Amino acid sequence: MTVIPSSLLQQYGASLNRFAKGEYIFHESWPAHFYFQLEEGSIKMFNSGENNDYIQGLFSHGESFGEPPLIADFSYPADAKAVTNCKIWVLKKVDYLRLLRDNPGVHFEFTKMLAIRLCHKTKLLNAMNTQNPEKRILTIIDYFKNKVPHPSPCYEVPFTRQAIADMTGLRVETVIKKVLRLAELGELELLDHKIVRH
């Protein structure tokens, strides 16, 4: 779901910038000066670890990312990197804040979106604290399944087992084993190596 219509972004001075696959949009600890919203492609926000990355979020068409530092004046808590070639609307912070003040309906939708993300983070943190790998995996899959309404009750998980591992803090070997177990329990279905959630 698009947070801010592109026509409104342009009205406040946004530019449509291209980023190549693998290119960083911003780095952890950088000050936040811009609002970002994806027009095409996908990006990931992540923290680099000693052995692997921990993915904080994956974002695609119409979604914005990296907003909390704009509102609360703190540095980015993670890196943002293009997973594919991207077109991203970029709007200066001062113009973004003016847009929110001038458009209470947009401001409300933005606040609602942040509340949904906060709820997801809370659920994922709770799942991770249980030390139950199956629950971690289902929590992350269900978040993305419910993020955007689908016409079909079946949701084909668009992530690799490695990406699921990076989002849940599990080893990829554990994810592979637990996905098989969840399929045996009927929680997931495996179709041509694809993970499907009903």
Side-chain angles (χ1 to χ4, degrees), residues 64-79:
S64 59
F65 58 94
E67 311 92 333
L70 287 175
I71 305 296
D73 286 321
F74 56 85
S75 299
Y76 288 115
D79 294 325

Side-chain angles (χ1 to χ4, degrees), residues 48-177:
S48 296
E50 194 172 309
N51 298 318
N52 58 357
D53 296 337
Y54 176 67
I55 297 176
Q56 296 281 353
L58 293 164
F59 303 91
S60 57
H61 170 72
E63 293 185 292
S64 59
F65 58 94
E67 311 92 333
L70 287 175
I71 305 296
D73 286 321
F74 56 85
S75 299
Y76 288 115
D79 294 325
K81 185 178 183 180
V83 176
T84 64
N85 290 336
C86 296
K87 290 181 182 176
I88 301 175
W89 289 105
V90 180
L91 180 63
K92 290 179 182 175
K93 175 180 177 176
V94 64
D95 296 321
Y96 171 66
L97 296 177
R98 183 167 55 90
L99 185 157
L100 290 182
R101 289 188 193 101
D102 292 349
N103 297 275
V106 171
H107 198 301
F108 176 76
E109 289 302 316
F110 169 75
T111 303
K112 189 165 80 170
M113 178 266 302
L114 284 182
I116 290 167
R117 287 186 191 168
L118 182 59
C119 180
H120 160 67
K121 291 282 188 183
T122 302
K123 286 180 179 177
L124 184 58
L125 184 60
N126 183 50
M128 291 179 80
N129 283 337
T130 67
Q131 299 299 315
N132 182 326
E134 291 90 345
K135 188 171 181 182
R136 289 192 205 183
I137 292 165
L138 291 177
T139 298
I140 202 72
I141 289 173
D142 286 345
Y143 168 71
F144 285 101
K145 179 184 177 189
N146 297 323
K147 193 174 179 182
V148 179
H150 296 276
S152 166
C154 297
Y155 171 69
E156 186 177 297
V157 178
F159 312 117
T160 64
R161 280 129 176 103
Q162 181 64 61
I164 294 170
D166 291 344
M167 286 186 275
T168 56
L170 298 168
R171 294 176 40 168
V172 69
E173 296 83 1
T174 303
V175 170
I176 291 167
K177 187 174 12 172

